[in-house]
Amino acid sequence: MTKHTSHEIDIVKSDTTKIDAVDFDNLTFGRTFTDHMFICDFENGEWQTPRIMPYQPMTMDPSARVFHYGQAVFEGMKAYKDDDGKVWLFRPIDNFNRINKSAARLAMPEFPEDYFMKGLTTLLQMDSAWVKPGKGNSLYIRPFIIATDPAISASPSNNYRFMIICAPAKAYYTGKIRVLIAEEYSRSANGGVGFAKAAGNYAAQFYPTSLAQEKGFQQVIWTDADTHERLEEAGTMNVFFRINDTLITAPLSDRILDGVTRRSIIQLAEDNGIEVQVRPITVTEIKEASKNGSLKEIFGAGTAVVISPISAFEHAEELFELPNIENSYADTLKDKMLSIQHNMAEDKHGWRYMV
Amino acid sequence: MTKHTSHEIDIVKSDTTKIDAVDFDNLTFGRTFTDHMFICDFENGEWQTPRIMPYQPMTMDPSARVFHYGQAVFEGMKAYKDDDGKVWLFRPIDNFNRINKSAARLAMPEFPEDYFMKGLTTLLQMDSAWVKPGKGNSLYIRPFIIATDPAISASPSNNYRFMIICAPAKAYYTGKIRVLIAEEYSRSANGGVGFAKAAGNYAAQFYPTSLAQEKGFQQVIWTDADTHERLEEAGTMNVFFRINDTLITAPLSDRILDGVTRRSIIQLAEDNGIEVQVRPITVTEIKEASKNGSLKEIFGAGTAVVISPISAFEHAEELFELPNIENSYADTLKDKMLSIQHNMAEDKHGWRYMV
């Protein structure tokens, strides 16, 4: 390995690459990582010199606060390669802003924008061979911050580690999923951390989701904890409902993640003349709409799958099947998103960012 | 280091001890750890051979699920040394049962009772010099389980690590604390994980607590997320209110931790002829009781401090001071708890457990 300082990032480049051992046609999401990772430690009240080094395990004290108190936040983003071999990000500043919003809610220090963007782009330039061209192929990017202070007092850590790791992701058609509407469990409270990409929000969903899976559903549609009437998220995605030709999604609150895909879908729908309503939508409303035939589509929206169409939902032991729609909003909007992300369509909102 | 297998635990004993370098009169809680730690890994669907080894940092992959999704649970317990040099635990089976209840809610595998008790007692026997005699001195014990699978898909981990680490804790009088009643933030939702010792519950409290601290309060009394009327927990403790001579604490729910100290305080109060009511108690009720002079005491109850008396609370910008009471329930019950824990009083409920 050769060590040299470049652009204010200490870089140790891997002498070898693991890429030749990777079967890009058979990738399991999130299990294969690229050759390098980005690290920046927060010590003595400030972020230290960032580093890029070969992807490798790291040493942690068993008392590190992240293990005990879940003081950890993350982001999910993607890089895409166009047919000219150029690598693109999609609205990266939105992810940067959100990780700091999440960090603030968890009493963690904000990460500097220049470190974030420089670290991200330098890492992607070094590992650009891992971004495969082709619509739907991507490199999934995981920035995260963890509390590393070796002390188990239940208070904010003094030391943190910001990292970026990257995993190649294949274009795949997941098929439509069936979802169970939550009647008992919930993912977030008023005044809680549901709007943040806080690590603990995700583990809390695993058990209720496993119960849904035992009943033959892939995901849970989360409802508000008070009444279980308001439809809020689908699994780890925001959720959209199409009633007649109107697209409806819940308004942001401290329970709902301000999804970059959610925001982009709303804009793209409006750009394409689709009426969008951002308002509370209830279980009762979609059950009635399903019964009278006006409920046309439900889909989840998030970075990992862009749009995940839903074929059926169950509530109070009653199953509701959604119709098969030609030229669905889900398919249309997903295709438009992918075309912008892969530099195959006009980017009128300036969402693409060249690495 | 000498490696040998004993009692089905692989033991690597430290050749040296760090104990001589420790100033037991000036301990910061949770920063100093004993010579050994207990580890047991869950792999291939089962818990592997447990190990005790010198306390040391460990290697983790940056993609380990605990860093990303907060799949982690813990317990807090204490060991005490009596004047004959015998080491005692307090209701350890309750902690064992609760870590598995927490684990189940976070879709983690349950840990076997014999591994837990054998690991705990063997570790304490090896590090017994770290348990100092004297009422209030103790060894704080931290069992915890973390998700170690190196993969960032948002689903339960396949691999886990169970550990026990121990930190000596000094008897200290924290003084009375001032608390702020939560009007906006909350710690848990109906149908959420508030009843579990889930890592993420704790980081979520740090920011609201820091806001309270800026206003001159040490802790937050958490209220229900729906109405912010029902008084539920104080910081990371259960909370008790004394109105006239009746002791009141909120009933258990999926938002409230089933505290071992809480349960013991209820029993000890009843044993001593104090009327205990386990029922919802509201902000309105304690404000009125404070105004008419019937609110005598508020205290938090938890393993770390046993009982933490509260001198004042603020709600809606209005400050309520509590009276100074001779022979307070807080002092009386704390002393009775400590006497049982330190083998200085009859243990009629069989709570003590000799190591």
Side-chain angles (χ1 to χ4, degrees):
Chain A
M1 297 179 192
T2 52
K3 187 171 192 309
H4 59 99
T5 300
S6 161
H7 307 295
E8 298 155 17
I9 299 174
D10 279 345
I11 295 177
V12 179
K13 204 169 175 311
S14 177
D15 289 336
T16 58
T17 177
K18 302 173 293 190
I19 199 167
D20 298 328
V22 175
D23 178 0
F24 280 84
D25 292 325
N26 291 291
L27 289 165
T28 302
F29 178 77
R31 285 208 168 262
T32 304
F33 297 93
T34 64
D35 290 323
H36 298 92
M37 62 187 190
F38 176 85
I39 294 189
C40 188
D41 288 326
F42 184 86
E43 290 166 5
N44 304 315
E46 59 186 8
W47 292 101
Q48 306 295 309
T49 303
R51 296 171 284 155
I52 291 176
M53 61 174 65
Y55 186 93
Q56 61 191 284
M58 57 189 178
T59 297
M60 299 279 289
D61 197 89
S63 66
R65 275 203 181 80
V66 63
F67 296 138
H68 302 271
Y69 305 124
Q71 204 185 7
V73 297
F74 70 94
E75 273 302 319
M77 38 200 312
K78 280 182 172 175
Y80 312 88
K81 188 171 273 177
D82 67 19
D83 291 339
D84 296 334
K86 285 202 285 282
V87 175
W88 300 90
L89 289 162
F90 184 74
R91 310 187 77 171
I93 297 298
D94 292 27
N95 295 96
F96 165 75
N97 287 332
R98 192 172 58 187
I99 201 168
N100 278 342
K101 200 172 157 191
S102 299
R105 179 59 180 84
L106 266 73
M108 303 168 83
E110 295 193 1
F111 195 67
E113 181 173 342
D114 56 336
Y115 279 25
F116 184 92
M117 292 307 299
K118 194 73 181 178
L120 184 59
T121 52
T122 307
L123 182 64
L124 289 175
Q125 283 156 8
M126 290 172 65
D127 283 343
S128 66
W130 292 80
V131 196
K132 295 298 178 191
K135 206 170 185 173
N137 290 327
S138 64
L139 185 70
Y140 182 83
I141 301 162
R142 169 57 56 89
F144 62 107
I145 315 177
I146 54 176
T148 53
D149 214 19
I152 53 169
S153 53
S155 57
S157 186
N158 295 312
N159 302 315
Y160 296 91
R161 173 162 285 184
F162 175 96
M163 299 187 74
I164 304 175
I165 58 176
C166 303
K170 197 176 149 44
Y172 57 103
Y173 182 65
T174 51
K176 290 191 174 183
I177 62 170
R178 294 155 58 89
V179 298
L180 188 63
I181 296 181
E183 294 169 68
E184 178 188 350
Y185 292 103
S186 57
R187 71 171 285 282
S188 65
N190 297 319
V193 300
F195 71 92
K197 283 190 87 75
N201 289 342
Y202 293 79
Q205 297 188 33
F206 291 168
Y207 177 69
T209 304
S210 74
L211 295 180
Q213 287 168 347
E214 283 169 18
K215 292 188 72 176
F217 300 91
Q218 286 77 50
Q219 281 293 356
V220 172
I221 290 195
W222 298 105
T223 49
D224 67 292
D226 300 6
T227 66
H228 293 294
E229 252 293 309
R230 293 189 290 276
L231 298 154
E232 306 211 317
E233 293 203 9
T236 59
M237 298 177 285
N238 294 114
V239 62
F240 286 79
F241 303 87
R242 175 183 173 184
I243 295 181
N244 292 318
D245 288 338
T246 303
L247 197 56
I248 306 162
T249 194
L252 298 179
S253 73
D254 50 12
R255 299 186 306 270
I256 296 181
L257 189 78
D258 183 6
V260 177
T261 305
R262 171 186 179 279
R263 201 184 307 156
S264 305
I265 291 292
I266 291 170
Q267 183 66 59
L268 282 180
E270 288 173 347
D271 289 353
N272 285 276
I274 296 169
E275 188 195 342
V276 180
Q277 294 179 356
V278 178
R279 62 161 173 87
I281 176 164
T282 66
V283 177
T284 303
E285 181 177 0
I286 65 160
K287 285 167 77 169
E288 283 172 6
S290 179
K291 284 175 180 167
N292 70 27
S294 61
L295 181 68
K296 307 293 187 193
E297 297 180 55
I298 307 178
F299 57 84
T303 294
V305 292
V306 187
I307 282 178
S308 179
I310 288 165
S311 63
F313 66 91
E314 185 175 292
H315 181 263
E317 305 295 326
E318 194 177 2
L319 186 72
F320 298 82
E321 303 271 0
L322 285 146
N324 272 313
I325 301 277
E326 298 261 323
N327 302 314
S328 69
Y329 286 179
D331 289 346
T332 305
L333 293 168
K334 179 170 183 171
D335 188 66
K336 286 184 185 296
M337 277 282 282
L338 287 173
S339 294
I340 295 172
Q341 288 169 335
H342 287 265
N343 193 25
M344 296 163 72
E346 187 198 356
D347 174 29
K348 64 190 241 189
H349 300 289
W351 290 340
R352 273 195 304 265
Y353 181 97
M354 195 165 70
V355 173
Chain B
M1 295 179 194
T2 51
K3 187 171 193 308
H4 59 100
T5 301
S6 163
H7 308 296
E8 297 154 16
I9 300 175
D10 279 346
I11 295 178
V12 178
K13 203 168 177 311
S14 177
D15 288 336
T16 58
T17 177
K18 302 173 292 188
I19 199 167
D20 298 328
V22 176
D23 178 359
F24 280 84
D25 292 324
N26 292 290
L27 289 165
T28 302
F29 178 77
R31 285 209 167 262
T32 304
F33 297 92
T34 63
D35 290 322
H36 297 93
M37 62 188 190
F38 176 85
I39 294 188
C40 188
D41 288 327
F42 185 86
E43 290 167 4
N44 304 314
E46 58 186 8
W47 292 101
Q48 305 295 309
T49 303
R51 295 172 284 154
I52 291 177
M53 61 174 65
Y55 186 94
Q56 60 192 284
M58 55 190 180
T59 298
M60 299 279 290
D61 198 90
S63 66
R65 274 202 181 83
V66 63
F67 297 139
H68 302 270
Y69 305 125
Q71 203 185 7
V73 297
F74 71 95
E75 273 303 317
M77 39 201 311
K78 279 182 172 175
Y80 312 88
K81 188 171 274 178
D82 66 20
D83 291 338
D84 296 334
K86 284 201 285 283
V87 175
W88 301 89
L89 289 163
F90 184 75
R91 311 187 79 172
I93 297 298
D94 292 27
N95 296 97
F96 166 74
N97 287 332
R98 192 171 59 186
I99 201 168
N100 278 342
K101 200 172 156 191
S102 299
R105 181 59 182 82
L106 267 71
M108 303 167 84
E110 295 192 2
F111 195 66
E113 181 173 340
D114 56 335
Y115 280 26
F116 184 92
M117 292 306 299
K118 194 75 181 174
L120 184 59
T121 52
T122 307
L123 182 64
L124 290 175
Q125 283 156 7
M126 290 172 66
D127 283 345
S128 65
W130 292 80
V131 196
K132 295 297 180 190
K135 206 169 183 174
N137 289 328
S138 65
L139 185 69
Y140 183 82
I141 302 162
R142 170 56 58 88
F144 63 107
I145 314 177
I146 54 176
T148 53
D149 214 19
I152 53 168
S153 53
S155 56
S157 185
N158 295 312
N159 302 315
Y160 296 90
R161 173 163 284 185
F162 175 96
M163 298 186 75
I164 304 175
I165 58 176
C166 302
K170 199 179 149 38
Y172 58 102
Y173 183 65
T174 51
K176 291 191 174 184
I177 62 169
R178 294 155 59 88
V179 298
L180 189 62
I181 296 181
E183 294 169 67
E184 178 188 349
Y185 291 103
S186 58
R187 71 171 285 282
S188 65
N190 297 320
V193 299
F195 71 92
K197 284 191 87 76
N201 289 342
Y202 294 79
Q205 297 189 33
F206 292 168
Y207 177 69
T209 304
S210 73
L211 294 181
Q213 288 168 347
E214 282 169 19
K215 292 188 72 176
F217 299 92
Q218 285 77 49
Q219 281 293 356
V220 173
I221 289 195
W222 298 104
T223 49
D224 67 292
D226 300 5
T227 66
H228 292 295
E229 253 293 310
R230 292 188 291 276
L231 298 154
E232 306 210 315
E233 293 202 9
T236 59
M237 298 176 286
N238 293 113
V239 63
F240 287 80
F241 303 86
R242 175 182 173 184
I243 295 182
N244 292 319
D245 288 337
T246 302
L247 197 57
I248 306 162
T249 193
L252 298 178
S253 73
D254 51 11
R255 299 187 305 271
I256 296 181
L257 189 79
D258 182 6
V260 178
T261 305
R262 172 187 179 278
R263 201 184 309 157
S264 306
I265 291 292
I266 291 171
Q267 183 66 58
L268 282 180
E270 288 173 347
D271 290 351
N272 286 276
I274 297 170
E275 189 196 340
V276 180
Q277 293 179 356
V278 178
R279 62 161 174 87
I281 176 164
T282 66
V283 178
T284 304
E285 181 177 0
I286 65 160
K287 285 166 78 168
E288 284 172 5
S290 180
K291 284 174 181 167
N292 70 28
S294 60
L295 182 68
K296 307 293 186 192
E297 296 181 56
I298 308 178
F299 57 84
T303 294
V305 292
V306 187
I307 283 179
S308 179
I310 290 166
S311 63
F313 66 92
E314 185 175 293
H315 181 262
E317 305 295 326
E318 193 177 1
L319 186 73
F320 297 81
E321 304 270 1
L322 285 145
N324 272 313
I325 300 277
E326 296 262 322
N327 302 315
S328 69
Y329 286 178
D331 289 348
T332 304
L333 293 169
K334 179 171 183 173
D335 189 66
K336 286 184 186 296
M337 277 281 282
L338 287 174
S339 294
I340 295 173
Q341 289 168 334
H342 287 267
N343 192 25
M344 296 164 72
E346 189 199 354
D347 175 28
K348 62 190 241 188
H349 300 291
W351 290 340
R352 273 195 303 264
Y353 181 98
M354 194 165 69
V355 173

